[in-house]
Amino acid sequence: MPHNTVAVVGAAETTDLGVITNLSQIGLHADAAINAMKDCGLKPKDIDGIACANETPVQLAHYLGITPTWVDGTAVGGCSFMIHVRHAAAAIEAGLAKTILITHGESGKSRIGNPPRSVHPQSLNGQFEQPFGPMGPPSMFTIPVLRYMKTYGVTVEQIAQVCVVQREWAAKNPRATFKTPITTDDVLNSRMIAYPFRLLMCCLVTDGGGALILTSAERARDFPTRPVYILGTGESVETPMVSQMEDFTTSRAFRVAGPTAFKEAGIKHADVDHLMIYDAFAHLPIYGLEDLGFLPRGEAAAFIAGRNTAPGGKLPLNTNGGGLSYMHSGMYGMYALQESVRQMRGIAPAQVPGAKVSVCHGVGGMFAASGTIIFSNQAP
């Protein structure tokens, strides 16, 4: 896909974030969608493409009164929205739709209108992992990170630094769930979940959502909002079973999605001013920094501990506070995308001065899938 031909013109999260007891899952989708349409001055009749995960695009289009010519219900976990952006950009480029709405809504904490969480007994996970005891990400994500720590000599103290630094960013964000500063000792003294993960190394569980609206770069000039252009995109998958990863110290899906986006964008790592890496757990930014090529293998933990990604550092990372401190309803990718767009618009609470290029990278499941979007605020 030629870069800079598609832009984000509408972006918004749900009116509230955190604990929302008066909206169901589809209500959160709708709230985010309406806010995004208000952001750029559109109405449902102006939308001809729709994409979402968790909810089906059929139900959502009906609920919002949209008659689309293009739909996408890709659902591969928390990075589904990065992949929606990629597919939507390709659809606009191909002339399949002119104005595409991508939504997310999830009652992750209150569980209002959300389907029950379960692993189907006939799935690969249900047959070959769950019978042996691990249940969900807090226990299953420990498998790769323990191998990574042993291979590269990374300590739990270094992993705890990821949480400390991201709380510093969250302290600058009025909408963040947790803003009180924390220390390494605070992280290591928090409740043990599954070694090496302590409570503060695990993502939040909240309610909320967000939405994006994309159109062609040419049409974007006519909107009241500052366009954010899509430079490059990438996507991939590896395995639904974390136990079957090709290499526990690196994500193959990351290594495909990230470089694909960089190649399409035609940029180098030195061109990146701002970075979002999905952080459902504290080890994920470490994997992302290395698998996207920002650092050699085994060096990312020390890089973060050295405050290179902290406020004032040379590579601002997860500037909204991330899934560890800002917001995580179960599928976090939309919130990472929202922060990249805010940074490119120049309106983020912890704005990176002069930022022109933002990389937004997501994970689905436990290294099962990945999507990468590279944004810029520079007009083509």
Side-chain angles (χ1 to χ4, degrees):
M1 186 183 77
H3 65 272
N4 266 28
T5 60
V6 175
V8 174
V9 293
E13 293 170 334
T14 46
T15 306
D16 298 311
L17 295 174
V19 180
I20 306 171
T21 59
N22 63 328
L23 287 176
S24 65
Q25 174 178 284
I26 198 167
L28 292 168
H29 276 268
D31 182 40
I34 291 167
N35 288 344
M37 285 186 272
K38 287 180 180 177
D39 180 55
C40 59
L42 294 179
K43 295 182 178 180
K45 66 180 178 60
D46 302 312
I47 305 294
D48 60 357
I50 192 166
C52 61
N54 227 24
E55 195 60 62
T56 76
V58 178
Q59 291 194 88
L60 188 62
H62 170 74
Y63 195 77
L64 293 173
I66 292 170
T67 304
T69 60
W70 177 89
V71 298
D72 185 358
T74 299
V76 292
C79 68
S80 298
F81 316 102
M82 284 81 170
I83 295 175
H84 292 159
V85 169
R86 186 179 204 230
H87 295 178
I92 292 168
E93 180 65 25
L96 303 181
K98 292 182 179 179
T99 312
I100 294 177
L101 170 69
I102 302 168
T103 71
H104 173 52
E106 196 169 14
S107 185
K109 186 175 182 65
S110 301
R111 308 302 298 166
I112 300 172
N114 270 32
R117 296 186 178 113
S118 63
V119 176
H120 196 284
Q122 294 182 11
S123 68
L124 292 176
N125 307 74
Q127 294 179 74
F128 302 113
E129 288 186 338
Q130 187 165 292
F132 297 93
M135 288 290 292
S139 57
M140 298 176 81
F141 248 151
T142 61
I143 297 170
V145 74
L146 285 171
R147 170 53 59 186
Y148 181 93
M149 291 168 69
K150 183 175 178 64
T151 300
Y152 295 112
V154 170
T155 66
V156 289
E157 288 80 8
Q158 287 176 310
I159 295 176
Q161 279 294 305
V162 175
C163 316
V164 173
V165 167
Q166 292 194 191
R167 185 62 66 86
E168 290 184 41
W169 285 113
K172 299 175 179 291
N173 192 335
R175 299 243 299 173
T177 301
F178 292 142
K179 296 183 273 293
T180 303
I182 55 175
T183 65
T184 302
D185 286 343
D186 290 331
V187 178
L188 298 181
N189 289 329
S190 62
R191 179 163 56 90
M192 176 63 75
I193 302 301
Y195 188 82
F197 295 142
R198 299 277 180 167
L199 181 64
L200 292 179
M201 295 178 178
C202 305
C203 64
L204 304 166
V205 181
T206 56
D207 306 326
L212 298 171
I213 296 174
L214 278 63
T215 192
S216 68
E218 183 178 3
R219 291 185 68 227
R221 301 188 188 103
D222 298 329
F223 284 81
T225 50
R226 183 180 186 180
V228 177
Y229 303 98
I230 298 170
L231 287 186
T233 64
E235 64 185 297
S236 190
V237 299
E238 182 172 353
T239 170
M241 296 183 290
V242 70
S243 64
Q244 302 304 306
M245 288 176 67
E246 181 180 70
D247 181 343
F248 286 143
T249 69
T250 176
S251 165
R252 190 176 72 198
F254 281 19
R255 298 196 317 271
V256 173
T260 298
F262 271 82
K263 182 178 180 180
E264 186 177 275
I267 65 168
K268 299 177 180 179
H269 293 85
D271 299 321
V272 177
D273 304 303
H274 173 256
L275 181 59
M276 296 297 293
I277 297 177
Y278 195 128
D279 62 319
F281 292 83
H283 66 304
L284 287 171
I286 294 171
Y287 278 73
L289 283 167
E290 294 176 9
D291 288 343
L292 268 64
F294 285 93
L295 290 164
R297 300 275 289 277
E299 294 186 11
F303 183 80
I304 293 173
R307 300 191 55 76
N308 291 289
T309 63
K314 62 183 178 182
L315 184 57
L317 170 66
N318 292 344
T319 51
N320 61 352
L324 298 177
S325 289
Y326 175 63
M327 166 73 188
H328 195 296
S329 56
M331 301 170 74
Y332 170 75
M334 176 58 76
Y335 311 107
L337 289 164
Q338 293 286 333
E339 177 66 7
S340 280
V341 170
R342 285 192 291 263
Q343 288 285 345
M344 292 299 91
R345 285 179 165 183
I347 61 170
Q351 181 63 42
V352 176
K356 296 178 181 178
V357 174
S358 175
V359 173
C360 189
H361 177 76
V363 66
M366 282 147 282
F367 292 125
S370 183
T372 308
I373 306 295
I374 302 178
F375 295 104
S376 174
N377 51 27
Q378 303 300 294

